[in-house]
Amino acid sequence: MSAMEASTSPREKIPHPAMSALDLATIMRTLGDASRLEIVRLLSDGRPRMCGELSTALGIPTSTGSYHLRLLREAGVTRTRAEGTQRLISLRREDLDERFPGLVDVLTRAS
C-alpha cells in the first residue's frame, strides 16, 4: 500500500498523503509557484473554500485552478473534501504544523 493510499478511507475517495509521508522538499517545490503560494495564503484563515472560489480569487481559469489544487493536495499541503458535486479545499495546517513546526506561519506571513 502506498503512502497516498494509506490515508484514503472507504468514504473518502480523494487520495491524500499520510502525514508521515509529507516531504519538505516536495512541499517547497510545490509552493515555489506564486499561484499555489497564494492559495495557501487564502486558506490560512482556516475557512474551507470551493475550487471555483479560489480560481476566481486568483483570476485564473477553473481548469488552471484545479491543476494547482491537485498539486497542493498531492504534496500534502491541502485537503479536498467532496460535498455533492462541489469540492471543498482546506489547508492541512495541523498536519503541517506537527510535521514542520512554524512552516505555515512563515509561508503566510505578509511580505
Side-chain angles (χ1 to χ4, degrees):
M1 185 178 323
S2 75
M4 188 71 72
E5 295 169 328
S7 66
T8 306
S9 70
R11 292 179 56 164
E12 179 182 14
K13 295 183 180 7
I14 303 169
H16 297 85
M19 184 180 63
S20 62
L22 299 182
D23 175 66
L24 186 58
T26 301
I27 290 169
M28 296 309 287
R29 263 193 314 277
T30 303
L31 294 175
D33 180 89
S35 294
R36 292 190 286 270
L37 183 57
E38 186 58 27
I39 289 169
V40 169
R41 289 180 173 152
L42 289 168
L43 293 172
S44 68
D45 66 1
R47 187 172 69 86
R49 307 286 202 305
M50 290 184 289
C51 293
E53 186 180 349
L54 291 167
S55 296
T56 299
L58 294 173
I60 58 176
T62 304
S63 60
T64 304
S66 294
Y67 167 76
H68 288 303
L69 291 168
R70 179 179 55 83
L71 293 177
L72 287 167
R73 177 181 48 79
E74 289 175 352
V77 176
T78 61
R79 181 166 306 284
T80 302
R81 186 181 75 219
E83 212 167 88
T85 60
Q86 297 295 320
R87 300 290 177 264
L88 285 174
I89 314 300
S90 58
L91 187 62
R92 288 180 64 177
R93 186 176 198 116
E94 288 180 13
D95 290 345
L96 291 167
D97 283 344
E98 185 171 328
R99 187 97 163 103
F100 309 109
L103 177 64
V104 175
D105 291 334
V106 169
L107 294 172
T108 58
R109 190 175 300 153
S111 305

